DNA sequence: CAGGATCCGATTAGATACTG
DNA sequence: CAGTATCTAATCGGATCCTG
C-alpha cells in the first residue's frame, strides 16, 4: 500500500516526510550542508541512490530547492523546509529526554560525530597555531581534524600540520560527552583517552561547543 | 541495514518512532483510543499484524503501557508517550500549512473521518431527540452516525432511530470542510450534498467542532 | 475481541558499474 | 563531484488461518 488514506494533516505530513533518512537529510540542511557529498558525510550510511531519490522527493514536496551553483548543484531549504525545524527539534528533544543514553550505543560511526564537531568549533578559544587532532578510536577509520584560524576540516590523512593531540579508546565515551550525557572526566573513565601535551589535553574540551541538544537533559528517572 | 549509526538524538528518536504507522497509532492514543480495535477504526488501512507489532514496539521503547482491563487489553500512553504530542503537533502544523489542501485528495477513507467527527460532536448544540445521520458518499461504505444525548457512535447500519439527515456526494468536499480548507457552502459547491429537513441541513455544520487542526491555515501563497 | 503463526508478493535498499 | 541505471538481496506488509 502506498498512502495512509487519511484526511488528517498529521498523516499527510508523515506520508511525505516519514520515509527512512528523509528527516536526517533535512537535519543536515538545517545544519548548513549544501552539497551532495557534504550531506553524505553527515549521514555516511545512506547510499547515493537513496540520497538522490530523497532529495528529489523533498524538492517535489516543496521543502528543498536545487540550484546549479558555480561548483556544482547546491541544495537549500525553502521557507517550508525551514519550518521543518520544529519537527526536528521536537524529535531531538524527545530523544534526549527519553532514550536511554547510557545504553551500549556501540553501533555508531565516527564520521557524523567529527562532522558535527567540526561545525561547532569555538574559534576564539583555539591556539593561534594551526594544528591537527588525530582520532584513532575503536574500529573506526582513522580521521584527522584540522584546526586553523578560520578553517576547520576533517579528513582521512594528516594534511600536514603538527599533531597536537590524539584521541583514542572508546568512541562511545566521546559520543556520551558530546551528547551531554557526562562530563569529560566520566568519558575518560568510560574508556576515552587523550594523548598529547598536558596543556592540549586540558584545553581540548573547551575548544568546542557541545552538540546542539546537549543542554536537554534526560527526564527524571523512571 | 537497521540503524542509522548516529549519536544524534534526532536520528535515534527517528529510529524508534519513524516506522510506518507508528506515529499515527500514537495520535490515536492521544485522541483517547484505548482498545485495539478502537485504534483500528481510526487507522483502517493498518493490518492487525502490523498494529500488534507496532504496539509491542511502543511498549518496548517505553511510550505505551499495556494493561489487562476488565474487557480485554487496554493501551495507554506513559509520560514519555504523552510528550510525543509535541512531535505530532509539529507534524500536523506543518502539514496544514504546507501541503496542498485542494489537491485531488481522492484516496481517503470515510471511516477515520467519521471516527474523528464522532469524537468532536458539540453535545449542547444537538436537538434533544436522538437521531441518525446517514453517510452515503462516493464509493465509500455506508455509515451511520448515531447522535443522542451523552452517546455518539458510528456503525454500519442504522441502529434504529429516525434518520434526520443524509450526507451524499463527494467525500473530498466533506474532508475539505472538516480540515478547515473551506466553509460548508464551498464544500457543497465541490460536490457534497445534504438531504433532509431544512432545519437539519442548516444546523448540521454547527453540531461539530471541526478537526482539531482546522484553525491552522495554509502558509501565504507561494 | 485480540491477537499469534505462516506464507507469499510487493517494495526498498545496497552494491556495482557507468556517465558527464 | 554528482549523480543514473541495473541487478539482486533483504525487508516489509497483507491475506489467511488459527487460538483462547
Amino acid at each position: 500500500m502506498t498512502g495512509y488514506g487519511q484526511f488528517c494533516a498529521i498523516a499527510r505530513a508523515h506520508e511525505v516526510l516519514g520515509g527512512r533518512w528523509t528527516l536526517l537529510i533535512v537535519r543536515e540542511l538545517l545544519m548548513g550542508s549544501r552539497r551532495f557529498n557534504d550531506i553524505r558525510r553527515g549521514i555516511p550510511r545512506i547510499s547515493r541512490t537513496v540520497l538522490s531519490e530523497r532529495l528529489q522527493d523533498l524538492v517535489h514536496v516543496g521543502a528543498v530547492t536545487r540550484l546549479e551553483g558555480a561548483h556544482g548543484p547546491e541544495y537549500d531549504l525553502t521557507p517550508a523546509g525551514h519550518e521543518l525545524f520544529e519537527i526536528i527539534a521536537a524529535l531531538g528533544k524527545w530523544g534526549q529526554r527519553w532514550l536511554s543514553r547510557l545504553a551500549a550505543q556501540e553501533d555508531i560511526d565516527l564520521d557524523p560525530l567529527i562532522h558535527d564537531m567540526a561545525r561547532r568549533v569555538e574559534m576564539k578559544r583555539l591556539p593561534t597555531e594551526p594544528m591537527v587532532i588525530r582520532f584513532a578510536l575503536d574500529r573506526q577509520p582513522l580521521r584527522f581534524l584540522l584546526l586553523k584560524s578560520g578553517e576547520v576540516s576533517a579528513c582521512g590523512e594528516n594534511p600536514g600540520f603538527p599533531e597536537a593531540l590524539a584521541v583514542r579508546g572508546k568512541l562511545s565515551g566521546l559520543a556520551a560527552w558530546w551528547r551531554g550525557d557526562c562530563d569529560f572526566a566520566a568519558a575518560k573513565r568510560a574508556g576515552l583517552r587523550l594523548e598529547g601535551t598536558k596543556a592540549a589535553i586540558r584545553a581540548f574540551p573547551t575548544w568546542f561547543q557541545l552538540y546542539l541538544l546537549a543542554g536537554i537533559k534526560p527526564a527524571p528517572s523512571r
Side-chain angles (χ1 to χ4, degrees), chain A:
Chain A
M1 180 200 321
T2 179
Y4 291 123
Q6 304 233 342
F7 73 92
C8 162
I10 298 161
R12 298 182 67 204
H14 198 261
E15 268 178 38
V16 303
L17 301 172
R20 201 162 156 68
W21 306 111
T22 305
L23 286 181
L24 294 192
I25 296 166
V26 174
R27 179 200 66 186
E28 286 303 304
L29 292 169
L30 281 168
M31 298 295 261
S33 292
R34 292 288 166 269
R35 306 293 305 273
F36 190 88
N37 283 333
D38 201 21
I39 296 170
R40 287 198 73 203
R41 267 176 228 107
I43 319 177
R45 296 197 188 183
I46 197 173
S47 72
R48 277 175 299 181
T49 312
V50 172
L51 176 54
S52 175
E53 284 172 11
R54 292 291 189 271
L55 283 169
Q56 288 178 42
D57 294 345
L58 284 167
V59 169
H60 187 250
V61 304
V64 166
T65 55
R66 181 198 145 119
L67 293 171
E68 278 298 334
H71 307 289
E74 293 190 9
Y75 298 91
D76 204 350
L77 294 165
T78 63
H82 278 287
E83 286 191 17
L84 293 172
F85 176 77
E86 293 183 39
I87 298 170
I88 307 256
L91 259 179
K93 178 179 172 187
W94 190 88
Q96 284 282 105
R97 285 176 57 75
W98 294 104
L99 292 182
S100 166
R101 320 261 291 261
L102 304 175
Q105 225 206 319
E106 299 297 335
D107 181 34
I108 63 174
D109 299 329
L110 172 60
D111 279 336
L113 181 50
I114 300 242
H115 195 237
D116 198 42
M117 291 178 74
R119 279 193 290 230
R120 298 180 66 80
V121 170
E122 293 253 43
M123 292 294 187
K124 302 156 208 156
R125 305 210 168 177
L126 252 37
T128 51
E129 300 300 296
M131 65 178 162
V132 162
I133 304 175
R134 168 192 295 255
F135 289 83
L137 290 144
D138 298 341
R139 283 136 223 270
Q140 299 294 322
L142 189 60
R143 288 291 182 264
F144 297 88
L145 190 63
L146 167 64
L147 300 175
K148 65 190 250 208
S149 69
E151 181 188 344
V152 175
S153 61
C155 40
E157 45 194 69
N158 188 325
F161 290 90
E163 230 174 86
L165 211 53
V167 183
R168 301 183 185 277
K170 292 195 64 82
L171 171 59
S172 55
L174 183 65
W177 165 68
W178 188 250
R179 265 203 311 267
D181 287 0
C182 63
D183 61 21
F184 205 82
K188 283 181 169 174
R189 289 195 297 275
L192 186 66
R193 299 197 317 275
L194 290 191
E195 289 169 16
T197 67
K198 286 215 162 149
I201 291 178
R202 196 173 314 113
F204 172 82
T206 72
W207 291 340
F208 306 88
Q209 288 192 304
L210 289 184
Y211 172 48
L212 181 64
L213 304 181
I216 299 176
K217 297 302 179 187
S221 84
R222 56 170 198 169

